[in-house]
Each structure stands twice: as structure tokens, then as C-alpha cells.
């Protein structure tokens, strides 16, 4: 079956780098123009501004009450669905490429070769070094977290002791 074009969302002034569907059917887009736009049909219904560089990734916050955005300005920001800022997470030292959310926590990955774990109120609780850039990450149904790294390796991280890697593998990573 073909996929015919349904809508064209025009309004950004730079490349569109991320898109996120919302539970209410609206769409968010993030752009090189430093903005996030909210769309209802093909109509732009809001512009979220606050990042000072390219917005690279979007993730829905648990419960669907808001979104997180990752930016080349080295920050992760959280927003309500109506576009009001909730908070800014600072700590990465280079471009932030990816963000993911799970119940009570948020994770971000950066060109600074780290994954950072944050509380929803913006406190960084862990910095996980990687051998290269963290390009993407996602929470898995098990609650584990997978990262895609520039060293040609994907890794899975867990908070559950019974799923930890054997000591030899952990030692090899260190």
C-alpha cells in the first residue's frame, strides 16, 4: 500500500531534525532554527523558544504532560504541552543529540561522550562515560536503557542487579 502525502508543515527557517506525535494528534517539530513548532493539521499553533542553537531531538514526558528537547546549545529543556518552559538541564559540555524519558527519569546523550541521567526536576544523578559520541538512546520495555555510540557499539544499561553483565565484561568496559 502506498503512503500518499497528507500534510506539509511549513514554517521553520532551518532544517527540521526531529518530529514527535502527541497523544492528542498534534505534531511537534524541532529545527536548526532553534525553535520547536506545534502543529494541528497543517496549521502552526505555537512556537516554543528558548534554545540558543539547533534543537536536535524531542521526547514525550511520562504521563504525556510535556516534552523534553535536546539541543546543540548543550542543554536539555522541558516544556508543558502548551509551550511553557518547565526547566533547563545543564551539564553537557558539547552538543546534545538525543533525549529519552521514562517514569521519573530523563536520559540525554551528547557529543561530549556521555550519557547523563536526570531527575524530572533537572538534577543530574549520574554521568555515564562512553568511548565516543552518544548518538541515540532509548528506554526499553524492561526499564533498561540502550545507547548508540560512535565507536560502532550499542550498549544496554540496567538498574537491576540481576541483569548486570558478568564481572569480566564489566572489567573489559572499564
Amino acid at each position: 500500500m502506498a503512503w500518499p502525502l497528507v500534510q506539509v508543515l511549513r514554517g521553520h527557517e532551518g532544517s527540521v531534525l526531529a518530529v514527535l506525535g502527541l497523544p492528542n494528534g498534534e505534531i511537534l517539530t524541532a529545527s536548526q532554527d532553534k525553535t520547536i513548532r506545534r502543529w494541528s493539521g497543517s496549521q502552526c499553533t505555537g512556537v516554543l523558544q528558548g534554545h540558543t542553537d539547533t534543537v536536535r531531538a524531542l521526547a514525550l514526558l511520562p504521563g504525556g504532560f510535556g516534552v523534553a528537547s535536546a539541543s546543540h546549545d548543550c542543554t536539555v529543556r522541558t516544556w508543558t504541552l502548551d509551550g511553557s518552559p518547565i526547566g533547563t538541564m545543564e551539564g553537557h559540555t558539547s552538543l546534545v543529540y538525543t533525549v529519552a524519558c521514562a517514569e521519573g527519569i530523563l536520559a540525554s546523550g551528547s557529543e561530549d561522550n556521555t550519557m547523563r541521567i536526570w531527575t524530572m526536576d533537572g538534577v543530574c544523578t549520574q554521568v555515564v562515560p562512553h568511548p565516543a559520541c552518544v548518538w541515540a538512546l532509548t528506554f526499553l520495555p524492561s526499564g533498561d536503557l540502550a545507547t548508540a555510540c560512535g565507536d560502532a557499539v550499542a550498549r544496554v544499561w540496567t538498574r537491576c542487579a540481576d541483569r548486570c553483565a558478568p564481572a569480566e565484561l564489566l572489567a573489559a568496559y572499564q
Side-chain angles (χ1 to χ4, degrees):
M1 177 177 173
W3 288 81
L5 179 65
V6 177
Q7 297 173 19
V8 175
L9 310 177
R10 294 188 195 281
H12 282 292
E13 296 174 11
S15 298
V16 177
L17 300 175
V19 62
L20 178 68
L22 299 177
N24 66 0
E26 292 184 326
I27 297 172
L28 293 180
T29 55
S31 172
Q32 190 178 25
D33 68 9
K34 308 174 193 174
T35 69
I36 301 164
R37 291 182 181 263
R38 186 175 57 247
W39 304 88
S40 181
S42 57
Q43 181 70 36
C44 179
T45 60
V47 179
L48 288 66
Q49 296 179 308
H51 283 294
T52 60
D53 203 338
T54 299
V55 184
R56 185 64 178 248
L58 299 168
L60 191 63
L61 296 177
F65 72 89
V67 296
S69 57
S71 173
H72 289 188
D73 67 9
C74 305
T75 69
V76 173
R77 292 179 184 258
T78 51
W79 315 80
T80 63
L81 289 181
D82 68 5
S84 299
I86 298 172
T88 302
M89 298 168 192
E90 298 179 2
H92 282 291
T93 59
S94 192
L95 314 179
V96 183
Y97 289 127
T98 185
V99 63
C101 304
E103 201 58 47
I105 58 173
L106 187 144
S108 57
S110 171
E111 192 172 84
D112 67 7
N113 300 352
T114 68
M115 169 180 68
R116 292 178 187 258
I117 306 295
W118 310 85
T119 63
M120 285 297 171
D121 58 353
V123 176
C124 183
T125 60
Q126 188 175 5
V127 177
V128 181
H130 281 63
C133 174
V134 180
W135 286 107
L137 48 77
T138 188
F139 283 96
L140 304 174
S142 64
D144 292 349
L145 185 56
T147 56
C149 188
D151 68 346
V153 175
R155 295 172 175 83
V156 179
W157 309 87
T158 189
R159 294 186 290 175
C160 299
D162 61 334
R163 285 201 305 272
C164 284
E168 315 80 64
L169 184 57
L170 290 174
Y173 179 74
Q174 309 286 331

